[in-house]
Amino acid sequence: MESCNCIEPQWPADELLMKYQYISDFFIALAYFSIPLELIYFVKKSAVFPYRWVLVQFGAFIVLCGATHLINLWTFSMHSRTVAVVMTTAKVLTAVVSCATALMLVHIIPDLLSVKTRELFLKNKAAELDREMGLIRTQEETGRHVRMLTHEIRSTLDRHTILKTTLIELGRTLALEECALWMPTRTGLELQLSYTLRQQNPVGYTVPIQLPVINQVFSSNRALKISPNCPVARLRPLQGKYMAGEVVAVRVPLLHLSNFQINDWPELSTKRYALMVLMLPSDSARQWHVHQLELVEVVADQVAVALSHAAILEESMRARDLLMEQNIALDLARREAETAIRARNDFLAVMNHEMRTPMHAIIALSSLLQETELTPEQRLMVETILKSSNLLATLINDVLDLSRLEDGSLQLELVTFNLHAVFSEVLNLIKPIASVKKLMITLNLAPDLPEYAVGDEKRLMQTLLNVVGNAVKFSKEGCVSITAFVAKSESLRDSRAPDFFPVPSENHFYLRVQVKDSGIGINSQDIPKLFTKFAQNQALSTRNSGSGLGLAICKRFVNLMEGHIWIESEGLGKGCTATFIVKLGIPEQSNESKLSFGPKMSGHGPTNFPGLKVLVMDDNGISRSVTKGLLVHLGCDVMTVSSSEECLRVVSQEHKVVFMDVCMPGIDGFDVAVHIHEKFTRRHERPLIVALTGNGDKVNKENCMRVGMDGVILKPVSLEKMRSVLLDLLEHRVLFEAM
Amino acid sequence: MDAVTQLQRQLVDYTNSLFLEGFLDDQFNQLQQLQDESNPDFVVEVVSLFFQDSERLLNELAKVLEQQNIDFKKVDAHVHQLKGSSSSIGAQRVQRVCITFRNCCEEKNIEGCLKYLQQLRHEYSLVKNKLETLFKLEQQLLAAGGTIPLY
């Protein structure tokens, strides 16, 4: 026993040690058995544990370990072989399971560890999301603030309210100490303090606009931090003890109306800006956050828009007020003008009547006076009176006509008339003067000139008479030639009349009349003055009477007839040519028969009696021819007879007038008249009877009247006389005097 | 001056002289007025008629006055006719002679009548020549392409 060195001597089992081992093994077994139970319990509780079978494995391992330790309890004392076998089996099993578990854990633990990392990652992510949520919330709040601010700003169109509200709301939202708005002055060189938040009535501080800090702010559309010491920020004495709050300034563009174009939204190329300055409370150590700066920028833009709206509205209100004022003024002016025109027209109407009545009296009585017995001196005086009063009458007419022409109240009277007759009438009127002056007048009417035309006959004649009269007036000798033809379109356009655009049409033609004289001519520089009112050639105005209105009136008439009139002259002493073109209508064929004797009675111009059936009784062949010629010229349908028997045989209801020569010896015209009366008992069936006689004394006349003649004409009969006789006869059905 | 203007001038002067010398009066103008496109030869026709008629009347007058018993009523009638014709065309001088002739007729003054017949013939031939010359001038003017002036 003492000799064995390799192993310790077998010592008898110590009672104490054995006891402690026994107890520890027991507890270990207990623990080992309870751990799987706990695991199962908790795994059952949790739903997500992925590795169940690992748990089973682990459980098995622990149970077996526990079993091993439990079986160990029996190995402390003497034990049988069965226990040893069981113990060995348990140990073997435990070994297997534990090895398996160990191997398994090698795979599983990294997984479990990564779960942990994932968890950490998720936590970080959650934290990030939280942060972002916070940010979004702040932004949303900012947006809400802006919307509210905008709403406040845009709910009014009054500029002051807009600005005041902006400052108040900004002040409230951002908890500012002071907020101010600087507007550019009219000159644009300075910024003036216009609105502040805290101060009620800002005193008009101004700062020059060219400060570097201001330029800096104006050149950027962001809100920039500026120093609290710069002039725009030093609004009031420092409130806080230590440090002034941070100041931010932003530009507010003042958009001008013209910046708003429909298709282009304007770049901010406006020159004018206002400056908004915002100050955080001093001593607060607050900082401007980015989202607050963004809020300020947005607000500034909104303010700009609101201001422009307000400006536009102001502008349009102003424009509307201006327009209303102008409307009222215009209305007043128009009414005044109308009153003036009415007053003038009334005046003219009165003067027309008032002036003409005495003129009539003077002219009529002077004419009558002329017919009486007068000494040569008296005759001269009366003639002078007559001439002067005729002149005056013409003057009055001219002036009245011209004033009516000027205000456009003159309208052409369109009638169908005999164009050829107009020319011959004018000729008749001008012949006496021309023959006195020994001037030759030629009339050339083109063969294609229509005989009848539609237009204002009276005024055409007036124009023609004026032009021809001027030609005669200003010619001392030589000849005056009048040509009239239908103007073709090429000849209508004249370089001398650049704004005359004739438009030939179906129912109209252009009459071109040219009057050429060999008189004193006109200087080329005087030509433009010819048609102006009251302007007369100096050299002539003394010698010639007239108001200088004639050509002016002619021009107006010609213009009314859609034509043109002009005068050419090669110079003094070389005569001149007056030309006018007027537009006349072409009468329809059926209209020609409308030239009845009815409505034409009032006119005294070339009148005709187309188709008027008359009977001429005269035994003298020549007289008969001449009378027939006269009547045919007037358009009548003439039948001639040379004896009373023939007359009585032929006369019928169709004949409207019977002209009979009562100086026929042997054949009594008076008898014929009596017979005619007997033949036609009813008045309207009977033709009118007119006596032609060379004997003008009263007895003869009375005899004619006694036998029931309707009129007496003294031979020789002129065309005019015949015409007026027929006119009178047919109008009045009786003619007392035609001598 | 071109030919047309010259002819016109000639015509005008001649016509003026006729009026001035009393051969024609305003009635002739009236006749001229009655001449137009529809009646281009009116004057010539009437004047020709006058010539024919006057010659006939003058011959008749001569015949009647050669009679032994002069029928003054007839003479008066003829002279009346001639007066009417001449006044119709404006042969002023003829007409005047007719008027005085008629007075003689009323007085039944044979010598006076004869004298006036003589005068009448004279005046008639004068006016006939003048008128024929006038017409010739007008023809010349028209042939030369001018127009007859109206004045």
Side-chain angles (χ1 to χ4, degrees):
Chain A
M1 289 67 93
E2 305 272 343
S3 60
C4 190
N5 294 345
C6 39
I7 45 172
E8 288 188 16
Q10 234 174 0
W11 42 273
D14 206 342
E15 285 286 329
L16 197 65
L17 284 172
M18 277 203 12
K19 213 194 291 183
Y20 280 128
Q21 277 195 350
Y22 192 84
I23 294 173
S24 318
D25 267 336
F26 178 70
F27 274 112
I28 286 170
L30 202 63
Y32 275 166
F33 279 130
S34 62
I35 285 174
L37 286 171
E38 284 171 7
L39 272 175
I40 288 169
Y41 174 70
F42 283 116
V43 165
K44 267 220 163 60
K45 274 269 187 147
S46 100
V48 292
F49 198 78
Y51 301 110
R52 286 210 190 202
W53 63 274
V54 170
L55 218 62
V56 167
Q57 209 175 15
F58 214 68
F61 160 66
I62 289 181
V63 161
L64 283 172
C65 276
T68 315
H69 279 284
L70 193 64
I71 296 174
N72 231 6
L73 284 177
W74 273 272
T75 55
F76 287 116
S77 52
M78 290 314 261
H79 51 279
S80 60
R81 193 182 152 79
T82 327
V83 173
V85 168
V86 169
M87 178 80 204
T88 318
T89 323
K91 272 211 171 131
V92 165
L93 277 173
T94 312
V96 166
V97 172
S98 43
C99 287
T101 313
L103 284 170
M104 207 49 42
L105 278 175
V106 169
H107 291 287
I108 288 180
I109 286 184
D111 270 350
L112 285 175
L113 279 177
S114 77
V115 164
K116 205 65 191 169
T117 9
R118 232 177 283 159
E119 191 195 313
L120 203 62
F121 173 71
L122 279 169
K123 225 192 279 185
N124 283 343
K125 258 281 181 274
E128 212 176 284
L129 274 170
D130 261 335
R131 270 200 304 277
E132 274 184 16
M133 268 286 290
L135 256 157
I136 288 173
R137 214 176 289 127
T138 351
Q139 270 179 350
E140 196 250 345
E141 234 177 71
T142 314
R144 212 160 20 88
H145 278 138
V146 168
R147 269 197 300 282
M148 181 195 53
L149 219 67
T150 312
H151 175 74
E152 290 292 324
I153 292 169
R154 300 279 281 268
S155 64
T156 168
L157 283 172
D158 174 41
R159 175 200 286 258
H160 297 284
T161 322
I162 289 173
L163 292 169
K164 268 257 166 246
T165 318
T166 312
L167 298 181
I168 292 172
E169 291 298 324
L170 267 179
R172 211 156 38 116
T173 314
L174 300 172
L176 299 173
E177 174 184 344
E178 181 60 273
C179 186
L181 190 70
W182 299 76
M183 303 279 282
T185 56
R186 213 167 279 281
T187 59
L189 296 173
E190 293 181 322
L191 283 178
Q192 188 181 31
L193 181 62
S194 316
Y195 303 91
T196 55
L197 182 58
R198 307 283 173 205
Q199 292 172 355
Q200 283 311 108
N201 295 319
V203 183
Y205 291 131
T206 54
V207 296
I209 210 170
Q210 291 300 331
L211 290 180
V213 61
I214 295 178
N215 279 339
Q216 193 188 14
V217 175
F218 278 178
S219 54
S220 153
N221 63 349
R222 316 290 318 271
L224 298 174
K225 295 206 184 91
I226 61 175
S227 148
N229 291 324
C230 75
V232 291
R234 260 202 310 238
L235 292 175
R236 43 198 207 145
L238 212 55
Q239 300 283 39
K241 285 201 293 199
Y242 298 110
M243 202 177 76
E246 286 199 341
V247 181
V248 147
V250 68
R251 72 176 187 187
V252 179
L254 297 174
L255 298 170
H256 208 252
L257 258 87
S258 57
N259 280 352
F260 284 102
Q261 292 142 28
I262 308 292
N263 295 322
D264 276 341
W265 282 109
E267 305 289 329
L268 282 180
S269 56
T270 61
K271 302 271 174 34
R272 294 183 43 158
Y273 300 106
L275 190 71
M276 196 151 59
V277 176
L278 305 113
M279 285 181 266
L280 287 178
S282 32
D283 291 346
S284 68
R286 259 181 62 190
Q287 298 261 340
W288 281 100
H289 293 275
V290 172
H291 71 266
Q292 289 173 326
L293 292 181
E294 281 167 4
L295 178 98
V296 167
E297 283 157 24
V298 170
V299 168
D301 280 337
Q302 289 298 321
V303 166
V305 171
L307 280 180
S308 8
H309 283 186
I312 290 174
L313 183 72
E314 261 175 46
E315 189 68 39
S316 73
M317 297 289 289
R318 211 163 41 84
R320 195 194 62 166
D321 286 338
L322 197 66
L323 270 175
M324 264 174 42
E325 267 177 52
Q326 277 180 343
N327 258 357
I328 293 173
L330 273 173
D331 205 30
L332 192 65
R334 182 177 60 88
R335 266 179 301 171
E336 277 178 12
E338 275 179 8
T339 325
I341 288 179
R342 262 200 304 271
R344 194 212 42 193
N345 283 346
D346 287 342
F347 170 74
L348 279 180
V350 165
M351 288 312 286
N352 196 351
H353 178 71
E354 296 305 325
M355 284 205 277
R356 284 195 168 132
T357 316
M359 281 319 303
H360 268 306
I362 295 173
I363 293 175
L365 291 174
S366 313
S367 310
L368 283 177
L369 196 56
Q370 248 187 345
E371 304 290 322
T372 64
E373 291 276 337
L374 296 168
T375 70
E377 296 155 356
Q378 287 173 328
R379 189 163 288 278
L380 199 63
M381 288 187 233
V382 171
E383 275 171 6
T384 315
I385 293 173
L386 205 50
K387 229 183 348 165
S388 314
S389 40
N390 272 329
L391 219 75
L392 192 57
T394 316
L395 192 63
I396 292 172
N397 284 341
D398 277 357
V399 169
L400 289 172
D401 260 349
L402 195 63
S403 59
R404 263 195 312 150
L405 275 172
E406 299 245 283
D407 72 354
S409 63
L410 190 77
Q411 280 179 330
L412 294 179
E413 295 156 20
L414 298 174
V415 291
T416 311
F417 63 95
N418 188 331
L419 192 58
H420 291 226
V422 170
F423 286 99
S424 35
E425 183 75 13
V426 166
L427 227 52
N428 282 343
L429 289 169
I430 216 72
K431 241 200 261 189
I433 308 175
S435 64
V436 162
K437 284 181 135 183
K438 299 210 190 321
L439 289 172
M440 201 164 70
I441 306 192
T442 57
L443 174 64
N444 205 340
L445 298 178
D448 65 345
L449 198 67
E451 200 183 337
Y452 293 97
V454 176
D456 191 331
E457 179 192 15
K458 190 163 76 122
R459 294 192 172 110
L460 178 64
M461 190 152 62
Q462 203 174 339
T463 310
L464 188 60
L465 193 57
N466 199 304
V467 171
V468 173
N470 276 347
V472 168
K473 210 199 293 190
F474 293 111
S475 305
K476 279 189 283 193
E477 58 180 7
C479 64
V480 174
S481 81
I482 310 170
T483 37
F485 51 92
V486 175
K488 302 288 177 284
S489 41
E490 314 84 53
S491 64
L492 282 177
R493 283 302 323 272
D494 216 300
S495 57
R496 287 167 293 229
D499 47 349
F500 177 51
F501 294 103
V503 181
S505 69
E506 274 298 310
N507 306 330
H508 296 96
F509 70 97
Y510 284 88
L511 170 71
R512 186 184 165 122
V513 176
Q514 205 161 316
V515 177
K516 204 179 162 101
D517 73 60
S518 57
I520 58 172
I522 303 175
N523 227 333
S524 51
Q525 57 218 73
D526 288 334
I527 289 187
K529 285 194 277 177
L530 282 172
F531 292 101
T532 49
K533 288 191 291 181
F534 308 117
Q536 268 214 67
N537 197 327
Q538 273 309 106
L540 306 168
S541 54
T542 46
R543 247 188 315 132
N544 289 300
S545 47
S547 56
L549 281 178
L551 278 177
I553 293 184
C554 285
K555 188 173 168 101
R556 298 246 183 345
F557 283 150
V558 166
N559 283 341
L560 272 176
M561 292 194 240
E562 297 178 48
H564 190 75
I565 180 170
W566 68 94
I567 291 189
E568 299 164 302
S569 171
E570 296 187 15
L572 287 173
K574 300 210 177 87
C576 69
T577 309
T579 318
F580 66 87
I581 302 179
V582 290
K583 189 178 183 187
L584 295 173
I586 301 172
E588 298 159 18
Q589 292 311 111
S590 58
N591 278 358
E592 284 186 48
S593 58
K594 272 206 277 190
L595 286 178
S596 60
F597 6 89
K600 280 303 207 92
M601 283 305 150
S602 47
H604 46 269
T607 50
N608 269 352
F609 311 92
L612 178 67
K613 267 177 116 67
V614 297
L615 186 63
V616 173
M617 184 181 85
D618 195 333
D619 67 331
N620 186 322
I622 290 92
S623 300
R624 208 167 50 232
S625 311
V626 173
T627 314
K628 177 176 176 180
L630 267 176
L631 291 164
V632 163
H633 193 78
L634 290 171
C636 303
D637 180 2
V638 184
M639 188 182 294
T640 56
V641 292
S642 54
S643 69
S644 355
E645 291 87 21
E646 217 184 325
C647 175
L648 287 170
R649 225 190 354 199
V650 168
V651 77
S652 74
Q653 226 176 321
E654 286 181 350
H655 297 108
K656 296 278 181 254
V657 190
V658 176
F659 290 95
M660 56 175 70
D661 184 290
V662 295
C663 309
M664 297 196 295
I667 305 163
D668 200 347
F670 300 123
D671 275 340
V672 177
V674 172
H675 279 119
I676 290 179
H677 269 276
E678 285 169 6
K679 191 169 175 185
F680 302 96
T681 46
R682 276 192 283 236
R683 197 155 188 244
H684 64 268
E685 286 172 7
R686 183 175 57 79
L688 297 164
I689 308 173
V690 179
L692 291 166
T693 173
N695 189 350
D697 63 359
K698 259 185 117 194
V699 175
N700 202 8
K701 238 197 304 174
E702 275 167 18
N703 287 341
C704 292
M705 288 300 135
R706 224 166 4 95
V707 293
M709 306 239 186
D710 299 295
V712 180
I713 311 180
L714 192 62
K715 287 207 285 192
V717 192
S718 73
L719 188 60
E720 273 318 300
K721 209 194 291 183
M722 184 60 91
R723 190 188 284 123
S724 65
V725 159
L726 278 175
L727 270 173
D728 273 334
L729 256 184
L730 293 164
E731 191 177 330
H732 301 125
R733 296 196 70 81
V734 77
L735 183 72
F736 284 119
E737 196 77 47
M739 302 297 181
Chain B
M1 257 206 245
D2 66 323
V4 172
T5 326
Q6 203 166 1
L7 280 169
Q8 274 182 337
R9 179 127 294 240
Q10 225 177 335
L11 183 64
V12 165
D13 289 339
Y14 191 69
T15 321
N16 277 340
S17 71
L18 289 182
F19 279 97
L20 280 172
E21 289 163 20
F23 283 105
L24 297 174
D25 66 8
D26 191 53
Q27 183 62 17
F28 190 72
N29 278 337
Q30 293 291 327
L31 283 188
Q32 282 183 321
Q33 273 190 29
L34 297 178
Q35 185 163 299
D36 55 19
E37 296 90 50
S38 56
N39 232 338
D41 298 316
F42 182 69
V43 178
V44 175
E45 280 168 12
V46 173
V47 170
S48 311
L49 253 180
F50 170 70
F51 290 158
Q52 283 171 7
D53 202 45
S54 306
E55 267 159 39
R56 180 183 61 88
L57 283 170
L58 286 168
N59 290 336
E60 287 288 313
L61 272 171
K63 229 192 280 180
V64 172
L65 284 171
E66 276 167 14
Q67 302 283 332
Q68 290 297 345
N69 287 334
I70 299 175
D71 187 356
F72 282 102
K73 277 222 173 61
K74 238 189 179 171
V75 174
D76 190 57
H78 288 320
V79 174
H80 179 83
Q81 286 266 313
L82 194 56
K83 174 173 153 245
S85 317
S86 56
S87 73
S88 293
I89 67 153
Q92 199 181 27
R93 280 158 83 139
V94 174
Q95 185 192 2
R96 289 215 183 112
V97 175
C98 287
I99 294 174
T100 41
F101 198 146
R102 280 189 88 188
N103 290 338
C104 278
C105 284
E106 275 177 38
E107 293 163 12
K108 298 200 198 282
N109 183 348
I110 300 175
E111 255 130 59
C113 289
L114 285 168
K115 188 178 74 171
Y116 279 122
L117 179 59
Q118 198 68 0
Q119 209 172 345
L120 209 50
R121 274 196 196 276
H122 177 69
E123 287 298 335
Y124 167 70
S125 54
L126 272 177
V127 85
K128 180 167 175 202
N129 281 338
K130 299 278 181 190
L131 283 172
E132 277 171 352
T133 317
L134 185 70
F135 290 142
K136 220 181 289 179
L137 278 175
E138 280 185 0
Q139 292 293 330
Q140 277 178 351
L141 179 60
L142 287 173
T147 49
I148 300 172
L150 303 157
Y151 63 106

